[in-house]
Amino acid sequence: ETGVTQTPRHLVMGMTNKKSLKCEQHLGHNAMYWYKQSAKKPLELMFVYNFKEQTENNSVPSRFSPECPNSSHLFLHLHTLQPEDSALYLCASSLELNEQFFGPGTRLTVL
Amino acid sequence: AQSVAQPEDQVNVAEGNPLTVKCTYSVSGNPYLFWYVQYPNRGLQFLLKYITGDNLVKGSYGFEAEFNKSQTSFHLKKPSALVSDSALYFCARSTNAGKSTFGDGTTLTVKP
């Protein structure tokens, strides 16, 4: 256990559904990250939040919408996804530029 | 240009032999370098890091890495591989601007 939790662990959704992924850390970290991991591209950085402010959006389609209400919680809102969005979505947190602590991921399947 | 490169998709070694997983980085600013390991169906786990100081860094599970400025490399090493070391290994870098970049990963297979 790294101290970063993600829910749900598995999610199957249709292309017209709306769902949200949740990430939580109580490590006192100031930065939180969303990554997409798929067979095509091993690890893609999607979003970075530092002290609740988004500092990076890596050209992610608008059907992915992040939300960071406080330094401990990070959400990824999903709507009208495509089958190619099926992947493992990983959340991580860190203190400044130090090592990142990863959650177990959410395995997303879009039908 | 990619900030971190892992030139090998796959590394195979026999149990008990030394292992090396390669990583090179592009030169811009002071590199904060990291190694992570990912076991099947799990998130990434931090192994070790180089921020400053000694070029040889020791980490979890007997792994170590050497920061080589002249060769811009940060190869991961272990003197004697275990079958349980078989996993996906990622090299990563953070910049002063707060940007993190991961390599494409190297699958290590240790055969008994």
Side-chain angles (χ1 to χ4, degrees), chain B residues 78-106:
Chain B
K78 186 172 181 179
S80 179
L82 299 172
V83 173
S84 57
D85 292 329
S86 299
L88 181 58
Y89 289 81
F90 289 97
C91 181
R93 174 192 176 150
S94 293
T95 67
N96 288 342
K99 185 175 173 66
S100 296
T101 308
F102 282 73
D104 287 342
T106 299

Side-chain angles (χ1 to χ4, degrees), chain A residues 18-37:
Chain A
K18 285 185 181 182
K19 297 286 184 183
S20 295
L21 309 184
K22 180 182 176 182
C23 176
E24 190 170 346
Q25 60 92 6
H26 295 287
L27 300 169
H29 292 168
N30 59 286
M32 295 188 78
Y33 311 76
W34 278 118
Y35 291 89
K36 176 185 178 182
Q37 187 176 29

Side-chain angles (χ1 to χ4, degrees), chain B residues 4-13 17-25 33-38 47-48 62-68 71-82 85-92 103-110:
Chain B
V4 169
Q6 293 180 242
E8 302 156 315
D9 289 337
Q10 190 99 25
V11 170
N12 298 313
V13 298
N17 283 1
L19 70 86
T20 299
V21 184
K22 295 179 181 177
C23 173
T24 58
Y25 64 93
L33 298 165
F34 307 84
W35 274 103
Y36 295 85
V37 60
Q38 185 179 30
L47 274 179
L48 50 81
F63 284 94
E64 58 188 30
E66 185 169 11
F67 172 67
N68 188 318
Q71 297 184 3
T72 63
S73 68
F74 190 58
H75 301 333
L76 181 71
K77 299 184 179 187
K78 186 172 181 179
S80 179
L82 299 172
D85 292 329
S86 299
L88 181 58
Y89 289 81
F90 289 97
C91 181
D104 287 342
T106 299
T107 299
L108 172 69
T109 302
V110 181

Side-chain angles (χ1 to χ4, degrees), chain A residues 10-87:
Chain A
H10 300 272
L11 179 62
V12 179
M13 59 187 288
M15 291 192 286
T16 58
N17 291 159
K18 285 185 181 182
K19 297 286 184 183
S20 295
L21 309 184
K22 180 182 176 182
C23 176
E24 190 170 346
Q25 60 92 6
H26 295 287
L27 300 169
H29 292 168
N30 59 286
M32 295 188 78
Y33 311 76
W34 278 118
Y35 291 89
K36 176 185 178 182
Q37 187 176 29
S38 61
K40 259 190 171 181
K41 279 206 154 189
L43 207 61
E44 295 177 74
L45 178 64
M46 299 174 73
F47 302 103
V48 182
Y49 278 81
N50 197 355
F51 289 109
K52 303 189 302 177
E53 299 296 322
Q54 188 179 124
T55 57
E56 186 147 346
N57 176 338
N58 226 16
S59 303
V60 180
S62 59
R63 57 186 184 271
F64 295 91
S65 173
E67 179 190 1
C68 189
N70 54 61
S71 294
S72 299
H73 294 87
L74 185 65
F75 295 89
L76 188 62
H77 303 301
L78 317 171
H79 63 98
T80 59
L81 294 191
Q82 305 297 312
E84 59 264 29
D85 296 322
S86 298

